[in-house]
């Protein structure tokens, strides 16, 4: 009578893991902790079980692929994050697989599942619309790092954030210090945490200055150039009086400046404009854009390190996951003291 061949249930029981965890290990479809890998290997050896391992995987059980979901292709903040992410991942022999979520919850979920089918070892989600519950559920299968999602609070997820509230406050306060009292705000996508926090910072600065908050001065955009252009057109069509604009990102600031110029309004002589992000062309734009800089490349590098640490490839010292200490107003030529004939120094 022949020896009975061990089944997956036998292996899982001996290794004290679930069958789904064993399946992920055998098919290299997601994250399995080092401890569980060791137990599974010991169980297979004990029961003389020899699986067929796919050739494109390494002996460590890693694919060395890291999935990355970005909101849209032309996002300069995401591109700067990707630069820091890719450079740091290379130090751990990890390669990013980048896909676009298009600010669509359905698309982002579909992209995440595609990445898992590709056998990625972890995923970095930049912005987007995935909910807290969705992210927590997805993090059950592999290491997950989010950048710019304030609603995430889970031990299984590393969440890296800019203090956008502080950033929005600093940007608005800069305009207040220049003597502006009627400051319009072009916000980002209404559901996005970055947009909501930047608006709260704007509102707090206005209130602390003792000025009334006016809903007429707040126009919703979507982080793209055209929405900044449309926002200014709306303000002008409604004859809303303003002498300065704080746009929730540089791209919308570019659109705002374009619309102002088209209407014959000079920047900064008649209207001052502040952006957020410090886009790579902000310093060479006409006029060079005053903006709130955030350490985007640092966030990417930190995300890469967190993924590598989760995979047992490195051990990190405790580091801040918030970037408020790196936020700063970059003063250029798109702002002017109100009622002054000279731009700010």
């Amino acid at each position: 009578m022949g020896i009975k061949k061990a089944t997956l249930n036998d292996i899982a029981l001996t290794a004290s893991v679930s069958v789904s965890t064993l399946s992920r290990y055998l098919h290299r479809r997601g994250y399995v902790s080092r401890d569980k890998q060791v137990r599974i290997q010991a169980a297979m050896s004990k029961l003389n079980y020899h699986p067929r391992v796919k050739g494109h995987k390494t002996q460590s059980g890693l694919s060395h692929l890291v999935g990355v979901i970005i909101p849209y292709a032309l996002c300069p903040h995401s591109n700067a994050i990707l630069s820091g992410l890719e450079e740091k991942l290379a130090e751990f022999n990890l390669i990013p697989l980048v896909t676009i979520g298009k600010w669509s919850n359905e698309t982002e979920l579909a992209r995440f599942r595609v990445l898992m089918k590709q056998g990625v070892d972890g995923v970095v989600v930049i912005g987007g619309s995935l909910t807290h519950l969705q992210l927590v559920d997805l993090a059950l299968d592999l290491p997950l790092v989010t950048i710019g999602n304030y609603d995430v609070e889970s031990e299984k997820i590393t969440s890296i954030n800019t203090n956008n509230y502080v950033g929005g406050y600093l940007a608005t306060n800069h305009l207040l210090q220049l003597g502006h009292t009627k400051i319009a705000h072009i916000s980002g996508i209404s559901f996005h945490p970055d947009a909501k926090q930047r608006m709260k910072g704007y509102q707090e600065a206005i209130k602390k200055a003792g000025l009334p908050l006016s809903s007429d001065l707040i126009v919703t955009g979507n982080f793209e150039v055209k929405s900044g252009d449309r926002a200014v057109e709306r303000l002008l069509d409604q004859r809303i009086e303003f002498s300065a604009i704080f746009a929730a990102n540089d791209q919308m600031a570019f659109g705002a400046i374009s619309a102002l110029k088209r209407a014959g309004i000079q920047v900064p002589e008649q209207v001052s404009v502040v952006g957020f992000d410090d886009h790579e062309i902000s310093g060479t734009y006409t006029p060079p854009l005053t903006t709130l800089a955030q350490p985007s490349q640092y966030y990417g590098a930190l995300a890469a390190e967190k993924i590598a640490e989760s995979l047992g490839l490195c051990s990190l010292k405790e580091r801040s996951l918030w970037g408020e200490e790196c936020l700063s107003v970059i003063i250029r030529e798109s702002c002017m003291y109100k009622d002054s004939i000279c731009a700010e120094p």
Side-chain angles (χ1 to χ4, degrees):
M1 190 174 184
I3 299 175
K4 181 183 176 182
K5 183 178 180 180
T7 65
L8 293 182
N9 283 328
D10 294 331
I11 302 298
L13 184 62
T14 303
S16 298
V17 300
S18 67
V19 173
S20 62
T21 296
L22 175 60
S23 178
R24 288 203 306 275
Y25 173 80
L26 292 174
H27 295 95
R28 305 301 190 255
R29 300 294 190 192
Y31 173 70
V32 178
S33 70
R34 290 288 187 186
D35 177 61
K36 290 179 181 178
Q37 288 185 42
V38 170
R39 297 208 306 267
I40 290 170
Q41 290 166 359
M44 290 192 298
S45 177
K46 179 179 179 180
L47 298 177
N48 197 32
Y49 182 84
H50 302 286
R52 293 181 179 179
V53 181
K54 293 184 178 180
H56 69 281
K57 298 290 180 175
T58 65
Q59 291 182 352
S60 66
L62 298 177
S63 67
H64 290 275
L65 300 175
V66 175
V68 185
I69 302 177
I70 63 174
Y72 62 104
L74 299 178
C75 176
H77 176 52
S78 296
N79 291 338
I81 291 174
L82 284 174
S83 176
L85 179 73
E86 183 174 27
E87 184 176 348
K88 183 60 67 172
L89 285 176
E91 295 180 15
F92 303 105
N93 196 30
L94 298 172
I95 301 171
L97 288 182
V98 182
T99 186
I100 301 171
K102 301 179 180 179
W103 292 112
S104 162
N105 187 270
E106 182 179 354
T107 301
E108 288 165 17
L109 280 174
R111 297 291 189 266
F112 202 109
R113 294 188 182 108
V114 168
L115 290 171
M116 290 184 66
K117 288 181 180 179
Q118 295 295 318
V120 297
D121 298 320
V123 174
V124 177
V125 178
I126 303 172
S129 62
L130 292 173
T131 68
H132 172 265
L133 291 177
Q134 288 172 329
L135 289 166
V136 170
D137 183 57
L138 293 167
L140 295 175
D141 293 314
L142 76 178
L144 177 60
V145 176
T146 68
I147 301 177
N149 194 319
Y150 295 87
D151 298 324
V152 178
E153 293 183 7
S154 172
E155 293 181 356
K156 295 182 178 294
I157 300 173
T158 297
S159 185
I160 300 170
N161 293 296
T162 294
N163 195 324
N164 285 288
Y165 170 83
V166 171
Y169 182 93
L170 290 173
T172 307
N173 192 57
H174 178 70
L175 292 168
L176 290 166
Q177 290 177 341
L178 294 176
H180 297 280
T181 56
K182 295 181 179 179
I183 302 171
H185 177 51
I186 306 175
S187 69
I189 296 173
S190 59
F191 65 77
H192 195 275
D194 288 359
K196 291 189 286 187
Q197 291 297 317
R198 291 172 195 179
M199 184 189 295
K200 285 182 179 179
Y202 158 82
Q203 292 171 328
E204 183 63 19
I206 296 294
K207 286 192 291 184
K208 280 197 174 183
L211 299 172
L213 283 172
S214 172
S215 59
D216 290 339
L217 286 169
I218 299 176
V219 186
T220 301
N222 65 5
F223 290 129
E224 296 182 11
V225 174
K226 288 183 179 179
S227 69
D229 188 301
R230 288 193 296 266
V232 167
E233 285 187 342
R234 197 172 312 147
L235 289 168
L236 296 176
D237 289 344
Q238 295 175 357
R239 299 184 181 279
I240 305 299
E241 187 179 352
F242 61 95
S243 65
I245 296 173
F246 163 43
N249 76 343
D250 286 359
Q251 288 180 287
M252 292 194 297
F254 298 154
I257 291 172
S258 177
L260 289 168
K261 289 180 178 179
R262 194 167 58 248
I265 299 172
Q266 295 180 309
V267 178
E269 290 81 2
Q270 292 173 277
V271 173
S272 293
V273 179
V274 173
F276 198 114
D277 283 339
D278 197 19
H279 188 295
E280 63 180 351
I281 70 167
S282 295
T284 57
Y285 198 73
T286 303
L289 182 67
T290 293
T291 185
L292 200 294
Q294 59 177 326
S296 304
Q297 288 186 316
Y298 166 79
Y299 295 153
L302 181 56
E305 289 179 339
K306 288 296 181 180
I307 289 290
E309 183 180 42
S310 298
L311 299 174
L313 300 177
C314 69
S315 179
L316 300 177
K317 295 180 180 179
E318 193 66 28
R319 296 171 67 180
S320 172
L321 301 182
W322 288 81
E324 64 234 56
E325 69 279 3
C326 302
L327 294 174
S328 60
V329 178
I330 306 299
I331 298 175
R332 298 194 178 104
E333 298 169 29
S334 65
C335 293
M336 177 179 282
Y337 288 98
K338 190 173 184 305
D339 300 325
S340 170
I341 60 172
C342 297
E344 59 182 303

